[in-house]
Amino acid sequence: MEFPYLSIFILLNLVLVTHAHADFPCELYWNFKLPTTQMPKAITDLLYPAAGNGKVNDDIGAEVSETQLHDNETMGLFFLEKDLHHGTKMNMKFKKNSNYGKTFLPQEVAKSNIPFSSNKLVENILNMFSIKHGSKESEIVKNTISICEEKTCVTSLESMVDFATSKLGKNVEAISIEVNKESIELQEYVIAKGVKKLGEDNKVVVCHKVNYTYAVFYCHKIDGTKVYNVPLEGVDGNMVKVVAMCHNDTSQWNPKHISFQVLKVQPGFGPICHFVTQEHVVWVSK
């Protein structure tokens, strides 16, 4: 989805006004709250969009068609924990997506200057961003706000830091995928040496980027989940550092979940793993 250029102009001006009073306030906040935590690439790409890379191109849903089951790109997304080792081969590709590049707003701007509720959708939000009522863009904005009114969404980096530390404490690590170069075509990747388990208590906070006019994330805590840093090497030499999440207990998952169909296993079979996309931020306790 591409929102009108006027919305970008408005946002940039709001950010510039705020930055006139402080040098990169969200970075200062990060360094103050998390002095020993390195900022992951998914975050720095939003602060400096020109430095961006890509994301794993995926389409994961609760249910899947037979066509999707025979799509190698989908097949590579789920795997068993026993296969998370050096030498395992997977077919994948990495590319930018249409929601890439939406920047963070400073917390005071996001909270004070930009409305973010369904009762202010038409008269405030759509008008502010020059989005035509009834258009595809307006429906996406409406759906995102609806999701965020039911779940916890953060509209600034400062709010994300506050949410993660409220769930895991201040001694945390934030990680995301790191791609050296975009790969348009599907190709084979092999897990290289150096797979590393992160975190100590299998408690994780995951922040998923949702489609909106600026950077907004849906964040939630997950228990009983292991997180791994996984180095991949493509046949073209492309090196990628991905983040794998392995869910220990799948007994309560929907039996039609795509992972069971791809892996041909039943709910509760054992830990099921998947890679997160470039725009996810994963938080673990150190």
Side-chain angles (χ1 to χ4, degrees):
M1 176 188 65
E2 295 296 333
F3 288 99
Y5 287 108
L6 179 58
S7 65
I8 299 175
F9 175 79
I10 294 172
L11 292 178
L12 288 177
N13 275 276
L14 288 170
V15 172
L16 288 173
V17 168
T18 303
H19 283 183
H21 299 281
D23 293 331
F24 305 103
C26 55
E27 288 187 272
L28 294 175
Y29 190 81
W30 179 289
N31 293 331
F32 174 74
K33 297 281 286 191
L34 304 171
T36 62
T37 301
Q38 183 175 351
M39 192 176 288
K41 187 165 178 52
I43 298 298
T44 58
D45 282 356
L46 293 176
L47 299 178
Y48 307 100
N53 281 314
K55 72 182 281 289
V56 180
N57 184 43
D58 62 357
D59 186 16
I60 303 175
E63 301 184 17
V64 63
S65 67
E66 285 298 316
T67 301
Q68 288 173 303
L69 279 175
H70 293 89
D71 182 349
N72 285 332
E73 184 180 336
T74 301
M75 296 281 283
L77 292 172
F78 291 100
F79 52 94
L80 300 176
E81 190 175 25
K82 68 181 182 64
D83 297 321
L84 190 58
H85 59 76
H86 174 230
T88 298
K89 297 178 181 179
M90 301 177 179
N91 291 324
M92 305 181 74
K93 68 179 179 180
F94 298 85
K95 70 175 187 178
K96 297 176 181 178
N97 95 331
S98 60
N99 192 35
Y100 178 78
K102 304 294 191 300
T103 59
F104 270 120
L105 292 182
Q107 187 176 41
E108 58 268 34
V109 173
K111 282 188 173 183
S112 303
N113 299 81
I114 309 292
F116 194 77
S117 65
S118 56
N119 61 4
K120 296 183 179 180
L121 179 65
V122 176
E123 66 271 24
N124 294 105
I125 300 175
L126 298 184
N127 290 340
M128 174 175 285
F129 295 108
S130 301
I131 299 172
K132 185 178 179 181
H133 181 62
S135 65
K136 179 181 178 181
E137 289 80 5
S138 70
E139 288 303 309
I140 293 175
V141 167
K142 180 180 178 180
N143 290 338
T144 295
I145 291 177
S146 177
I147 291 171
C148 291
E149 288 182 333
E150 296 179 0
K151 304 179 183 294
T152 300
C153 288
V154 297
T155 56
S156 67
L157 179 56
E158 296 94 325
S159 296
M160 183 189 293
V161 170
D162 290 344
F163 180 87
T165 54
S166 72
K167 301 299 182 182
L168 301 175
K170 293 184 178 180
N171 191 25
V172 294
E173 183 174 4
I175 53 175
S176 65
I177 186 174
E178 297 182 15
V179 184
N180 282 344
K181 64 179 180 179
E182 182 180 353
S183 57
I184 302 297
E185 301 297 329
L186 194 69
Q187 67 166 323
E188 183 179 275
Y189 283 84
V190 62
I191 297 180
K193 293 181 179 179
V195 176
K196 180 183 178 183
K197 183 179 180 298
L198 303 174
E200 297 295 333
D201 54 8
N202 293 343
K203 295 180 180 178
V204 182
V205 166
V206 184
C207 293
H208 313 261
K209 193 158 186 276
V210 295
N211 212 348
Y212 203 65
T213 59
Y214 53 89
V216 175
F217 286 77
Y218 156 50
C219 297
H220 60 111
K221 182 185 177 185
I222 307 175
D223 293 330
T225 301
K226 300 174 187 175
V227 177
Y228 294 87
N229 247 338
V230 184
L232 298 178
E233 182 175 0
V235 292
D236 64 349
N238 188 27
M239 299 298 296
V240 184
K241 291 182 180 179
V242 297
V243 180
M245 297 180 61
C246 296
H247 304 278
N248 296 334
D249 184 6
T250 61
S251 60
Q252 301 302 312
W253 287 18
N254 185 338
K256 294 184 178 182
H257 192 280
I258 182 175
S259 61
F260 300 134
Q261 299 182 61
V262 168
L263 299 173
K264 301 186 185 306
V265 298
Q266 299 296 319
F269 173 82
I272 289 181
C273 307
H274 61 88
F275 296 129
V276 303
T277 68
Q278 187 267 350
E279 292 179 337
H280 284 54
V281 180
V282 179
W283 299 77
V284 296
S285 299
K286 290 183 180 178

